[in-house]
Amino acid sequence: MTKEYKVEKVSFQPYSLKLKKPWNINDSVVDYRQGFYLACTISGETFIGEASPLPGLHLESIEDIEQRLPKVSKILVTTKNPLLFKISEDLFGNFPSLTNEPPSITSAIEQIFWLFFNRQSPTQMANYTTIYTGRNRNYQGYKAIKWKVRGKPMLVWDELNAFSKAWPNTLIRIDGNRSIDPEELPKFCEVLSKFKNIDYIEEPCSNLRVAVDSTRNAGIKLAADESLWLNESLTKEAQVIVAKPQRLGGVSKVLQIKRKYPDKRLVLSHCFESPKTVAFLSKLGHAISPTENHGIYTQEFFATPKGAS
């Protein structure tokens, strides 16, 4: 007989983390990463999920989340049927009124459910990557790094070449965020093919055909990220899927993708969440793809609180 559980108590509170350096998002300067922690008490234990939509990535705003959380909290504790935990497409079977909530809210709820469901599992953390931030940094210990490239990609050639020679055993993941000049992408991919430590290139440009042909002709793996919610055509062509649970709507959406594309590599990625959620993503990453290097490290972006070491 399946054991039944019920959410006994729900609370939420805002958080604000100061950034080491301000971000420029959609022509706005951001000094703090902000969001909400949603806490649910189940069987006497409290588990926390995070709803923190990122400007420029999520359609919902922090203000939207603040307005909706009281209603969400009430639904979680007043549902008539005891809560049955099963991470699948029907995760919200007992909460039909929550299925249309914004992705950051459904993700926070599924984060809580997953942590509860796996509370007795051994704590195993995934390998993670970092973002390239300059030549003077020590990248020892990282098995892979993400390198953001914009516009004219050949401008980073000298720096890329120097890094590859200095860290030949560290995999390089190029991330274009669809911004690389399509006319320069074929040449750039041809150059990348000369490196032995290029892992893949992620969403290089907005032209699907150019992205697919350029990577295929150069023998470089293509990774999909934004295409998971913008255009599935590139996802079908890609060899790697980079999945952001909070943007997609939660754990169940990630597992759906994994089932739909079983032959593709699955790499978890963050939306610059707080360290609380990064710890969750690390556990989830190990559970889903234990040998993968996941893009889930965000600590380097936040200022160290006073008194912390």
Side-chain angles (χ1 to χ4, degrees):
M1 182 177 179
T2 303
K3 188 174 182 180
E4 296 181 341
Y5 301 93
K6 185 175 177 63
V7 177
E8 299 157 357
K9 180 181 177 182
V10 179
S11 63
F12 61 90
Q13 66 178 35
Y15 78 81
S16 181
L17 296 175
K18 185 173 178 57
L19 303 173
K20 285 184 178 179
K21 296 181 180 179
W23 295 344
N24 193 318
I25 302 177
N26 290 345
D27 298 324
S28 298
V29 177
V30 178
D31 294 306
Y32 291 84
R33 182 69 172 102
Q34 298 177 312
F36 282 86
Y37 291 132
L38 179 66
C40 289
T41 300
I42 310 160
S43 298
E45 293 186 74
T46 300
F47 301 87
I48 295 175
E50 177 178 338
S52 55
L54 185 66
L57 182 66
H58 288 81
L59 298 179
E60 67 269 27
S61 66
I62 295 292
E63 291 74 22
D64 294 332
I65 300 303
E66 185 173 17
Q67 291 177 2
R68 303 193 72 83
L69 280 177
K71 174 189 173 184
V72 169
S73 301
K74 185 176 180 180
I75 292 173
L76 286 171
V77 295
T78 59
T79 183
K80 294 180 179 178
N81 299 320
L83 179 60
L84 300 177
F85 290 88
K86 182 182 179 185
I87 303 295
S88 66
E89 300 95 331
D90 60 353
L91 182 61
F92 289 97
N94 289 325
F95 302 110
S97 55
L98 293 180
T99 55
N100 293 322
E101 288 297 326
S104 54
I105 286 184
T106 58
S107 177
I109 298 172
E110 293 193 4
Q111 178 178 341
I112 291 168
F113 291 171
W114 190 90
L115 288 170
F116 175 84
F117 190 74
N118 292 277
R119 67 195 185 284
Q120 295 179 339
S121 301
T123 300
Q124 293 180 288
M125 313 298 273
N127 295 322
Y128 54 81
T129 66
T130 188
I131 293 179
Y132 179 78
T133 54
R135 298 187 189 189
N136 296 328
R137 181 179 169 189
N138 187 341
Y139 296 92
Q140 187 171 356
Y142 291 103
K143 294 183 178 180
I145 61 111
K146 173 176 281 193
W147 195 308
K148 297 280 189 177
V149 176
R150 301 286 184 271
K152 304 293 184 181
M154 294 307 295
L155 294 177
V156 303
W157 157 249
D158 288 340
E159 199 165 357
L160 191 63
N161 188 43
F163 178 91
S164 185
K165 290 180 179 179
W167 307 97
N169 297 319
T170 301
L171 295 174
I172 300 173
R173 296 170 172 177
I174 303 295
D175 185 6
N177 286 124
R178 297 188 162 200
S179 68
I180 293 178
D181 186 342
E183 294 185 1
E184 294 200 13
L185 184 60
K187 180 180 178 181
F188 184 56
C189 287
E190 183 180 349
V191 169
L192 291 179
S193 69
K194 310 300 181 184
F195 293 95
K196 295 182 179 180
N197 55 338
I198 297 295
D199 192 5
Y200 56 72
I201 184 168
E202 178 184 330
E203 299 276 356
C205 68
S206 58
N207 188 309
L208 170 65
R209 195 69 265 155
V210 172
V212 172
D213 290 344
S214 298
T215 52
R216 180 180 295 156
N217 292 339
I220 295 175
K221 294 183 180 68
L222 176 64
D225 181 0
E226 292 93 334
S227 294
L228 293 173
W229 60 85
L230 293 176
N231 183 348
E232 195 174 5
S233 297
L234 189 141
T235 305
K236 294 176 180 177
E237 299 276 2
Q239 294 78 47
V240 183
I241 291 177
V242 179
K244 295 178 170 68
Q246 188 173 180
R247 179 59 183 85
L248 295 170
V251 178
S252 63
K253 298 297 189 297
V254 175
L255 295 181
Q256 287 175 22
I257 292 170
K258 185 175 178 64
R259 285 192 293 271
K260 187 173 183 178
Y261 300 105
D263 297 328
K264 299 182 188 292
R265 287 171 55 192
L266 180 62
V267 177
L268 289 190
S269 184
H270 61 74
C271 296
F272 297 95
E273 291 98 336
S274 71
K276 286 182 184 291
T277 294
V278 170
F280 153 71
L281 290 174
S282 186
K283 295 174 185 176
L284 178 63
H286 187 276
I288 291 178
S289 303
T291 61
E292 190 58 74
N293 298 294
H294 297 280
I296 52 178
Y297 187 58
T298 66
Q299 187 64 43
E300 61 193 314
F301 300 105
F302 300 121
T304 303
K306 291 183 179 180
S309 58

